């Protein structure tokens, strides 16, 4: 016989030996599992039958001999799911249940906490009486989890278990009783020292004197943990700020602009040769780069604000366009629904009269049915004509949006051109000063007054062709970096414009195809229903 399940509320050694085959979740089981409240069995059954699976909020599959989590795709709004007392070995196929707040997987055969990454609203998780050896796989629930039951598992490391639980500052109820770690004499104080925010530990309310005793006992370790957590928090905040800044820069098409100066020097093959002439203590040639950098950063801040404003203009233009389109579609939908409702009413009455007729489909009823067929065709033609007109209207709206967005994009490209022209001007000003410094250094070299330079530098300066080529390459590299950045940014403005308009045209084509397919299916369905009565006469 196969190992059975524990019955809640009984001694731990009692088991139930199942005499049925393992099951999977099917349509019948899905409806049977809906948690419905009512005064009578009849009212509950009626509510259950009337409930759409996609609207269900709570489902229970307790004691159903389920061996695998699957076929839950119909549930879209589920907030509570009970899968306890089954034969499940793996947590899987739950990623679509993004609204889930309570999950009970107690009394199964699960060996690892996994498959919960999408359940970011989970507050209550019960994995009591499984075969779990490690606290893991709960990163997505750090901010939401309030109740965690991991009792009667195989957690055997006090340090590892509470290192995994330490980030859960919202956790209020924790059950670990029945694990090997629970037998450790230090278990309770260790737990309260690491998780002082707990209200209940192993079904017992925590006491203030116990919390104080736990902190005093482990004060050095806890302070070290808190310092480490604070450092991690600060790093995480810095990383989040950096990521937010990167996202904003990318959204405004400013990637590569804030760090252009640094990239310009990094890409310069001559910079390291020229920057310390005549020596590191008193370099002369590249001193103008500091002024270049300061002026560039000032202009970059103004340019960033300008491009951010352009992004807002684009967003507002899209929002205005979307509002007009939504209004147009809403108006047409209301009109179409009125037509369909009117026909549905006629059809309903005609078919009901046919069903009531003891003489079958009489000539009078046949005439009504044939008239109904004509009306179904009229409805189809009206809907098709409406859709054709709607498609033309939306196509015109997309074309107009393309033009309006194009004006904004052209203005952005003009800002880009002006900005990089300014950057090239900074480079020209810098290079003029650079050349003056070059002339001064070469003159002193010719007069043998460049004593501060070592022999290697003097040899480099003395090879006039090599040195002058290096200076020119220095300048050309800077200009190339600036030109490349401008070209990249301008092309990206154009690409984004074209991609957005293409996305809208694809949306319109998909919407139109779907609408036409819907009308064809409706036409076929109506004709089929009516012709069935005509053929049965």
């Amino acid at each position: 016989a196969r190992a059975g399940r524990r019955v809640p509320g009984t001694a731990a050694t009692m088991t139930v030996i199942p005499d049925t085959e393992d099951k999977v979740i099917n349509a019948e089981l899905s409806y049977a599992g809906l948690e419905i409240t009512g005064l009578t069995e009849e009212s509950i059954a009626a509510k259950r039958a009337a409930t759409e699976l996609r609207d269900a909020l709570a489902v229970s599959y307790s004691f159903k001999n389920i061996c695998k989590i699957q076929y839950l795709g119909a549930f879209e709004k589920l907030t509570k799911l009970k899968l306890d007392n089954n034969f499940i070995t793996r947590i899987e196929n739950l990623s679509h249940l993004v609204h889930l707040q309570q999950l009970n997987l107690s009394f199964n055969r699960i060996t690892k906490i996994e498959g919960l990454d999408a359940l970011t609203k989970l507050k209550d998780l019960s994995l009591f009486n499984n075969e779990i050896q490690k606290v893991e796989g709960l990163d997505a629930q750090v901010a939401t989890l309030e109740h965690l039951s991991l009792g009667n598992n195989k957690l055997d490391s006090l340090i590892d278990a509470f290192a995994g639980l330490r980030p859960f500052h919202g956790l209020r109820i924790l059950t670990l009783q029945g694990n090997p770690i629970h037998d450790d004499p230090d278990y309770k104080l260790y737990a309260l020292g690491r998780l002082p925010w707990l209200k209940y530990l192993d079904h017992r309310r925590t006491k203030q004197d116990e919390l104080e005793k736990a902190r005093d006992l482990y004060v050095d370790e806890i302070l070290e943990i808190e310092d480490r957590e604070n450092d991690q928090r600060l790093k995480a905040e810095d990383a989040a700020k950096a990521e937010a800044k990167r996202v904003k820069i990318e959204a405004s098409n400013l990637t590569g602009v804030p760090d252009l100066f640094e990239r310009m020097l990094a890409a310069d093959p001559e910079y390291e040769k020229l920057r310390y002439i005549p020596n590191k203590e008193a370099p002369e040639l590249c001193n103008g780069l500091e002024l270049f950098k300061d002026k560039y950063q000032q202009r970059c801040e103004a340019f960033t604000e300008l491009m951010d404003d352009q992004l807002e203009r684009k967003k507002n233009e899209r929002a205005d366009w979307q509002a007009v389109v939504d209004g147009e579609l809403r108006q047409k939908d209301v009109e179409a629904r009125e037509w369909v409702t009117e026909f549905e009413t006629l059809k309903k009455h005609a078919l009901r009269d046919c069903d009531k007729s003891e003489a079958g489909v009489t000539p009078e009823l046949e005439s009504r049915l044939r008239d109904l067929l004509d009306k179904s065709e009229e409805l189809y033609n009206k809907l098709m004509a409406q859709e054709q007109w709607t498609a033309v209207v939306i196509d015109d709206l997309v074309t107009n949006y393309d033009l309006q967005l194009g004006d904004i994009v052209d203005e952005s490209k003009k800002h880009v051109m002006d900005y990089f022209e300014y950057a090239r001007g900074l480079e020209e000003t810098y290079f003029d000063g650079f050349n003056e410094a070059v002339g001064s250094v070469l003159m002193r070299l010719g007069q043998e007054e460049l004593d501060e330079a070592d022999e290697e530098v003097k040899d480099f300066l003395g090879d006039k062709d090599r040195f002058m080529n290096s200076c020119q390459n220095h300048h050309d590299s800077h200009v190339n970096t600036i030109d490349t950045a401008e070209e990249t940014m301008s092309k990206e403005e154009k690409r984004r414009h074209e991609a957005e308009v293409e996305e809208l045209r694809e949306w319109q084509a998909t919407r139109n195809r779907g609408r036409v397919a819907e009308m064809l299916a409706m036409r076929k369905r109506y004709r089929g229903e009516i012709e069935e009565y005509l053929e049965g006469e």
Side-chain angles (χ1 to χ4, degrees):
R2 188 172 53 182
R5 297 159 289 173
R6 290 185 184 173
V7 178
T10 64
T13 56
M14 289 188 64
T15 59
V16 175
I17 307 298
D19 55 4
T20 58
E21 295 295 323
D22 287 341
K23 294 181 181 179
V24 296
I25 300 170
N26 54 26
E28 180 182 357
L29 200 60
S30 292
Y31 277 102
L34 296 177
E35 290 196 344
I36 305 291
T37 58
L39 297 176
T40 65
E41 290 294 329
E42 291 77 10
S43 66
I44 292 174
K47 287 183 179 180
R48 180 174 286 119
T51 301
E52 293 283 348
L53 294 183
R54 66 173 177 270
D55 295 325
L57 299 179
V59 177
S60 175
Y61 297 121
S62 305
F63 296 96
K64 299 297 183 185
N65 295 335
I66 295 169
C67 57
K68 185 175 183 180
I69 303 174
Q70 56 187 351
Y71 307 126
L72 294 172
F75 298 104
E76 299 175 5
K77 301 178 182 178
L78 215 58
T79 61
K80 180 180 178 182
L81 176 60
K82 296 171 68 176
L83 287 162
D84 57 286
N85 288 278
N86 286 294
F87 301 98
I88 297 167
T89 59
R90 184 178 181 187
I91 307 173
E92 58 186 339
N93 300 321
L94 298 175
S95 59
H96 65 290
L97 301 178
V98 295
H99 302 291
L100 205 63
Q101 296 182 22
Q102 298 179 53
L103 176 60
N104 189 343
L105 286 162
S106 298
F107 293 95
N108 278 287
R109 299 174 179 175
I110 297 165
T111 59
K112 182 179 181 181
I113 306 175
E114 59 184 339
L116 303 175
D117 292 347
L119 309 188
T120 56
K121 296 182 180 180
L122 198 62
K123 296 181 178 180
D124 187 333
L125 175 61
S126 181
L127 289 161
F128 189 83
N129 206 86
N130 279 280
E131 300 173 18
I132 295 166
Q133 301 180 31
K134 185 178 181 181
V135 178
E136 59 185 339
L138 294 171
D139 292 348
Q141 290 75 44
V142 166
T144 60
L145 201 61
E146 299 174 358
H147 180 191
L148 177 61
S149 177
L150 281 171
N152 279 21
N153 276 281
K154 297 183 178 181
L155 302 177
D156 58 7
S157 172
L158 205 60
I159 294 175
D160 291 345
F162 284 95
L165 293 170
R166 173 72 184 184
F168 293 82
H169 289 259
L171 194 63
R172 295 296 177 262
I173 303 173
L174 175 65
T175 303
L176 294 174
Q177 192 172 12
N179 284 281
I181 60 173
H182 192 268
D183 298 330
D184 191 308
D186 296 327
Y187 163 76
K188 187 172 186 179
L189 291 179
Y190 193 92
L192 296 179
R194 264 60 179 180
L195 309 177
W197 43 80
L198 286 179
K199 297 298 182 184
Y200 288 89
L201 176 62
D202 298 325
H203 311 293
R204 293 182 179 275
R205 187 168 182 84
T206 57
K207 298 178 180 179
Q208 187 60 35
D209 60 333
E210 292 176 329
L211 292 170
E212 293 174 358
K213 183 178 179 181
R215 182 165 182 89
D216 291 342
L217 184 61
Y218 296 104
V219 62
D220 292 336
E221 295 177 36
I222 292 172
L223 288 174
E224 183 179 343
I225 291 172
E226 289 174 347
D227 287 343
R228 187 165 59 247
E229 288 174 341
N230 189 52
D231 289 342
Q232 292 172 348
R233 179 182 59 79
L234 293 176
K235 289 179 181 179
E237 289 176 357
D238 290 343
K241 289 177 182 177
E243 177 60 14
K245 182 178 179 180
R246 185 200 66 76
V247 169
K248 184 179 179 182
I249 287 172
E250 196 277 334
S252 298
N253 189 24
L254 288 164
T255 302
V257 172
D259 62 344
L260 176 65
F261 182 83
E262 289 75 16
R263 291 190 300 108
M264 182 182 73
L265 296 186
D268 181 357
E270 309 298 335
Y271 178 54
E272 290 302 324
K273 303 175 190 175
L274 300 171
R275 66 184 299 190
Y276 293 128
I277 291 177
N279 57 50
K280 288 187 177 183
E281 288 71 27
E284 297 181 22
L285 301 189
C286 300
N287 290 346
L289 285 176
E290 285 300 319
L291 182 60
F292 186 157
K293 182 178 181 180
D294 290 343
K295 287 184 174 295
Y296 178 82
Q297 289 178 339
Q298 291 174 12
R299 186 60 176 264
C300 182
E301 290 176 3
F303 180 59
T304 297
E305 291 181 5
L306 198 60
M307 294 303 287
D308 287 345
D309 290 342
Q310 290 296 97
L311 176 62
E312 285 304 309
R313 288 184 61 195
K314 293 173 186 175
K315 288 180 177 179
N316 292 336
E317 190 67 37
R318 176 63 182 266
D320 291 345
W321 178 87
Q322 194 66 56
V324 173
V325 170
D326 289 345
E328 185 70 28
L329 293 179
R330 188 161 45 247
Q331 178 184 348
K332 298 301 181 186
D333 284 345
V334 169
E335 190 176 42
R337 279 196 295 271
E338 289 176 353
W339 295 343
V340 171
T341 300
E342 182 181 356
F343 176 80
E344 288 273 7
T345 301
L346 291 174
K347 179 174 72 72
K348 177 182 177 181
H349 290 162
L351 298 186
R352 183 183 61 190
D353 290 345
C354 289
D355 290 335
K356 288 182 177 180
S357 174
E358 295 180 359
V361 179
T362 64
E364 180 186 354
L365 289 172
E366 180 184 352
S367 177
R368 285 178 63 187
L369 290 174
R370 295 197 182 282
D371 183 59
L372 200 59
L373 272 179
D374 292 340
K375 288 188 181 327
S376 74
E377 197 65 20
E378 290 175 8
L379 173 63
Y380 169 75
N381 290 332
K382 284 173 66 176
L383 291 172
M384 282 296 292
Q386 184 201 60
E387 176 55 28
Q388 290 172 359
W389 172 251
T390 301
V392 171
V393 170
I394 293 180
D395 186 67
D396 288 344
L397 288 172
V398 172
T399 299
N400 184 63
Y401 176 71
D402 186 6
L403 294 174
Q404 296 294 328
L405 181 61
D407 289 342
I408 300 175
V409 169
D410 288 342
E411 189 175 328
S412 294
K413 289 162 74 173
K414 177 65 167 57
H415 292 323
V416 170
M417 183 177 68
D418 292 344
Y419 177 73
F420 285 101
E421 188 61 35
Y422 178 80
R424 277 187 289 271
L426 290 178
E427 168 59 24
E428 293 300 329
T429 299
Y430 158 71
F431 195 55
D432 288 343
F434 175 88
N435 282 329
E436 289 181 12
V438 165
S440 174
V441 168
L442 290 179
M443 182 180 67
R444 284 152 52 204
L445 178 67
Q447 296 173 351
E448 298 184 355
E449 296 177 357
L450 203 64
D451 297 334
E452 65 270 30
D454 60 28
E455 291 303 317
E456 184 178 353
V457 171
K458 289 179 180 179
D459 289 342
F460 178 42
L461 295 173
D463 189 340
K464 187 174 181 180
D465 289 341
R466 179 186 168 207
F467 175 60
M468 295 309 294
N469 284 336
S470 178
C471 293
Q472 188 61 45
N473 289 340
H474 175 59
H475 173 59
D476 291 345
S477 174
H478 292 185
V479 173
N480 181 63
T481 298
I482 295 170
D483 290 347
T484 300
E486 178 183 8
E487 182 181 10
T488 299
M489 198 169 178
S490 295
K491 285 183 175 179
E492 181 62 12
E493 282 289 323
K494 180 182 178 183
R495 186 200 67 78
R496 292 186 182 192
H497 175 199
E498 292 174 347
E500 184 166 358
V501 174
E502 179 62 27
E503 176 191 345
L504 293 179
R505 295 203 182 279
E506 180 60 30
W507 164 79
Q508 159 60 358
T510 301
R511 191 206 69 82
N512 179 251
R513 286 194 298 268
R515 192 75 165 178
V516 170
E518 180 184 3
M519 288 185 288
L520 286 170
M522 184 176 66
R523 178 196 192 194
K524 181 179 179 181
R525 185 175 71 254
Y526 286 160
R527 292 188 68 87
E529 291 174 351
I530 298 167
E531 288 173 351
E532 183 179 354
Y533 277 84
L534 286 170
E535 292 169 0
E537 64 176 320

